[in-house]
Amino acid sequence: MSAETLWRTIFPKTNHLQLHSYQSRDSREPTTPENELGSWLSGSRNAVQKQENVSTNENRLHVRPEARTTSSIGVPQHGTTPPHPNPSPLPTDIQPLPHRRRKRLKPHEPDPSIPPDASSVLTTISARLPRTSLRRLLTTYLSLSKPRLTFLIVLTTTASYAIYPAPSILLSASTNAPSLSPLILLFLTTGTSLCSASANALNMAYEPGSDSLMSRTRNRPLVRRLLSLRAALMFALLTGTLGTTILYTGVNPTVAALGALNILLYAGVYTPLKPISVLNTWAGALVGAIPPLMGWCAAAAQCSSSYRNTDGSPVSSDPGWRDLLFAPDGSSIGGWLLAGLLFAWQFPHFNALSHSIREEYKNAGLRMMAWVDPRRNARIAFRYAVVMFPICVGLSWTGVTSWGFVASSGVVNTWMVVQAWRFWKYTGEKGSARGLFWASVWHLPIVLVLAMAQKKGLWERMWSGAFGQALLDEDEDEDEEEDSDEEVHEEDWEARRGRQPVRL
């Protein structure tokens, strides 16, 4: 019986090609059943090893299982050519995927340069504290108020209050610097922060579901169940009522109405609009533009109530909202310009931020321009960055700041526009979103500080207060000249009427 007949008897499924492909390559070695059996076993082991390597490559390169040509134990299937023991290159269907496809299949991770949410950081701290500790309770409620956003709102309100051009009648005799009331400033900042905390708490109470789907917000107190929904609503009601009451009694009714309107817009318009339309960004920008108006109206009301009649009574103890927001003399234009500055600033800031986490917004069901139309998102950011230039010129044109503010703010505005142009050119790629985000973070406080430092007449008054009263003397001389001119005109009028004026 030949060797081939013997092997076909033992292994009936082995064909002729499989049998002879594993025979010894050395023709001088005699072909025996034992040698043929060893060659076949050696080839099987090599086939198993190669199959394991192919399986590893398939798992790493996302190859479909049906592309395999061998059985699970490495032995060739019936009717197929056995693998060669020597190593061979990968087949054409097991090649590495293109770079863009690998990038698309890779799970999206948020930009590490974006700072973490302050509420999430405080929630992490409070979760580590004992359940019955007072510090845990205070930290949890503080995280419910979004402290970083609240601080930004209070900052813009205070800056607008300080930028308001106080008349010379309110200047202190020592330094000739504006002496707006610190008590009113205290009421203004306290009431504004409480109103902001109320609006932010209502925002968290409305969308814990979408917050749980985003990396920046999934650690907030309501998502972590550190507070109940009822406790959050009670906190929002208490802070909102207390904040508007403080603004009404300590500042004026107009500022209190603006604070209540901001709560309504943020919690009742902006938050419900987020899963519906991309117009939510404009609604949020309107919310951010109201705090500068609050600070401006607070300063304007204080200045108007400081004027006195000849009998010592105030000219207007309680100016109405029309006098504060739409003054006939145009003094309210500065407040609207500051509101426009905050409105325009929010588009470069938020559009760059939302671009970095656009996939998370999409998965959470929130309609943001960053994923609905990325190109338009970048174009809008660039457009509003350019608007910063005419707004800063308008502040100097209306007499709120000196003309030097146009040059100093122009440097910062140019930086913002350059980053916004890169963001538009690359549609957020190549680090342009990160560059615009950090440019906007530094832009706003720098511009506000420059506006306060270059307030119209501030340095002249401080100089005259430190080195003499020359400025006041000049003002008094101008008043005397105006009085003498009025007397001359009065004498001429009396002479024309044929009567001699009576001199005292």
Side-chain angles (χ1 to χ4, degrees), residues 14 40 98 150 170 191 193 217 272 332 369 393 400 410 414 440 448 472:
T14 304
W40 190 87
T150 299
L170 293 180
S193 60
T217 57
S332 59
M369 190 70 68
V393 173
V400 177
T414 302
S440 64
L448 293 179
L472 291 180

Side-chain angles (χ1 to χ4, degrees), residues 14-329:
T14 304
N15 56 27
H16 179 76
L17 294 176
Q18 288 176 317
L19 177 63
H20 290 280
S21 62
Y22 297 108
Q23 292 180 351
S24 175
R25 294 184 179 181
D26 190 356
S27 59
R28 293 173 298 179
E29 182 179 356
T31 303
T32 63
E34 291 79 5
N35 292 339
E36 292 180 351
L37 179 60
S39 300
W40 190 87
L41 293 176
S42 177
S44 299
R45 286 194 297 268
N46 293 333
V48 172
Q49 182 66 28
K50 182 177 180 181
Q51 178 63 26
E52 292 177 354
N53 296 336
V54 171
S55 301
T56 304
N57 293 331
E58 289 176 353
N59 294 333
R60 183 173 66 250
L61 302 176
H62 307 281
V63 178
R64 295 187 302 272
E66 53 268 23
R68 302 172 183 175
T69 58
T70 56
S71 64
S72 59
I73 62 173
V75 180
Q77 295 179 356
H78 179 69
T80 60
T81 303
H84 198 276
N86 296 332
S88 59
L90 293 176
T92 57
D93 58 345
I94 314 181
Q95 296 299 325
L97 297 177
H99 170 71
R100 293 183 178 178
R101 187 176 178 186
R102 292 201 310 268
K103 186 176 180 180
R104 184 170 65 251
L105 294 175
K106 183 179 179 180
H108 177 73
E109 296 180 359
D111 192 345
S113 64
I114 302 300
D117 185 67
S119 299
S120 300
V121 175
L122 289 174
T123 302
T124 303
I125 296 175
S126 61
R128 298 172 181 173
L129 299 174
R131 290 181 176 273
T132 58
S133 65
L134 179 62
R135 183 183 175 187
R136 171 175 176 148
L137 183 64
L138 296 177
T139 306
T140 304
Y141 279 110
L142 181 62
S143 66
L144 196 63
S145 64
K146 297 184 182 179
R148 188 175 295 164
L149 179 59
T150 299
F151 174 78
L152 178 62
I153 291 175
V154 173
L155 173 65
T156 56
T157 306
T158 306
S160 179
Y161 180 82
I163 293 172
Y164 183 85
S168 59
I169 192 173
L170 293 180
L171 301 181
S172 61
S174 59
T175 62
N176 285 336
S179 58
L180 297 177
S181 172
L183 184 60
I184 291 182
L185 181 61
L186 176 63
F187 285 133
L188 177 64
T189 54
T190 304
T192 303
S193 60
L194 289 174
C195 289
S196 176
S198 175
N200 293 326
L202 290 174
N203 172 266
M204 289 192 188
Y206 186 86
E207 51 184 16
S210 58
D211 284 346
S212 63
L213 301 176
M214 301 179 62
S215 60
R216 292 187 69 251
T217 57
R218 67 180 54 164
N219 202 32
R220 285 179 174 176
L222 291 179
V223 179
R224 293 282 301 273
R225 300 184 183 277
L226 298 180
L227 285 175
S228 63
L229 180 60
R230 180 180 179 182
L233 294 177
M234 292 298 296
F235 174 80
L237 179 63
L238 177 63
T239 53
T241 304
L242 186 60
T244 52
T245 302
I246 291 176
L247 293 176
Y248 184 89
T249 58
V251 187
N252 59 69
T254 303
V255 177
L258 290 175
L261 177 63
N262 225 14
I263 297 175
L264 178 62
L265 286 177
Y266 190 76
V269 178
Y270 166 71
T271 302
L273 200 60
K274 289 169 70 175
I276 299 175
S277 172
V278 295
L279 295 177
N280 67 82
T281 306
W282 279 264
L286 183 62
V287 172
I290 291 180
L293 280 178
M294 296 172 62
W296 190 271
C297 290
Q302 179 186 351
C303 292
S304 63
S305 62
S306 299
Y307 287 106
R308 301 287 175 176
N309 295 318
T310 56
D311 59 352
S313 61
V315 175
S316 178
S317 58
D318 186 15
W321 63 272
R322 290 186 178 89
D323 298 329
L324 297 178
L325 295 175
F326 308 100
D329 59 351

